[in-house]
């Protein structure tokens, strides 16, 4: 399910909390969805009952990755991500970091890939302050959007 506004998100979180469901949150660009993403999301879901995924807007990806990204526009990325079995809710966000979303959701577990450390996450302080946990998942070796893009560029030289 795609969550499109803050009011809907707040209502959703209230309902999940009422039902004592453990909320897992992760976020990313999910530009070209591949095996690494799907395995990562499946592993993240195992930490709780509900997996909420924050997805960077096109403008926030440009700020993070440069003007040549994203390759796939937001609406398409949302639709594909929403179709992944382990994903329960998808929420787009405009900022470069998911701090604002996390402050509303206050997930029980925040999951990031092994290319991060707890110390390198801008959201760590907030999560630890309200009593949430941070889990770092090992990435699938050789699968990253950057690798996929570079492979495509190499094939077309």
């Amino acid at each position: 399910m795609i969550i499109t506004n803050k009011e809907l998100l707040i209502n959703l979180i209230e309902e999940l909390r009422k039902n004592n469901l453990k909320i897992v949150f992760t976020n990313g660009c999910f530009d070209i969805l591949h095996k690494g993403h799907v395995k990562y999301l499946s592993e993240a879901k195992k930490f709780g009952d509900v997996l909420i995924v924050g997805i960077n807007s096109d403008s926030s990806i440009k700020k993070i990755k440069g003007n040549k990204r994203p390759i796939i526009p937001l609406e398409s990325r949302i639709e594909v991500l929403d179709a992944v079995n382990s994903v329960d809710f998808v929420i787009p966000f405009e900022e470069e970091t998911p701090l604002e979303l996390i402050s509303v959701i206050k997930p029980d577990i925040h999951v990031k890939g092994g290319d991060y450390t707890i110390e390198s996450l801008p959201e760590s302080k907030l999560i630890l302050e309200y009593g949430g946990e941070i889990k770092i998942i090992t990435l699938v070796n050789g699968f990253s959007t950057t690798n996929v893009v570079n492979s495509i560029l190499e094939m077309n030289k």
Side-chain angles (χ1 to χ4, degrees):
M1 175 183 228
I2 300 161
I3 306 297
T4 54
N5 64 59
K6 194 173 179 177
E7 185 180 325
L8 190 57
L9 175 60
I10 290 168
N11 292 337
L12 168 67
I13 298 306
E14 285 175 6
E15 190 65 30
L16 295 174
R17 296 278 178 221
K18 253 191 255 176
N19 289 300
N20 295 315
L21 296 173
K22 189 179 236 183
I23 300 171
V24 179
F25 176 80
T26 192
N27 67 282
C29 300
F30 301 99
D31 194 3
I32 297 176
L33 205 65
H34 53 71
K35 174 183 174 178
H37 288 129
V38 175
K39 285 190 171 281
Y40 168 80
L41 293 166
S42 178
E43 287 300 309
K45 174 69 181 247
K46 292 177 184 176
F47 289 112
D49 301 306
V50 176
L51 177 60
I52 300 174
V53 180
I55 186 168
N56 291 77
S57 69
D58 293 348
S59 62
S60 72
I61 291 176
K62 284 187 186 320
K63 290 177 192 165
I64 297 166
K65 307 264 184 190
N67 282 332
K68 292 187 177 181
R69 299 277 300 276
I71 292 167
I72 308 295
L74 180 63
E75 290 77 23
S76 295
R77 291 185 289 118
I78 288 173
E79 194 170 322
V80 171
L81 196 55
D82 189 45
V84 175
N85 286 337
S86 54
V87 175
D88 296 297
F89 301 96
V90 180
I91 307 168
F93 65 98
E94 292 293 327
E95 304 77 25
E96 291 176 53
T97 69
L99 283 167
E100 202 172 303
L101 272 182
I102 290 169
S103 69
V104 173
I105 298 168
K106 290 189 174 71
D108 300 292
I109 309 283
H110 178 60
V111 178
K112 288 302 280 186
D115 49 343
Y116 290 92
T117 63
I118 290 174
E119 298 76 29
S120 71
L121 286 175
E123 55 267 29
S124 289
K125 184 179 178 204
L126 171 63
I127 293 161
L128 298 174
E129 279 176 359
Y130 72 75
E133 274 184 80
I134 300 168
K135 301 282 188 183
I136 305 293
I137 295 178
T138 304
L139 297 176
V140 177
N141 207 12
F143 283 91
S144 75
T145 302
T146 300
N147 287 350
V148 172
V149 169
N150 289 340
S151 293
I152 293 167
L153 292 174
E154 279 299 310
M155 285 189 287
N156 289 304
K157 279 189 173 181

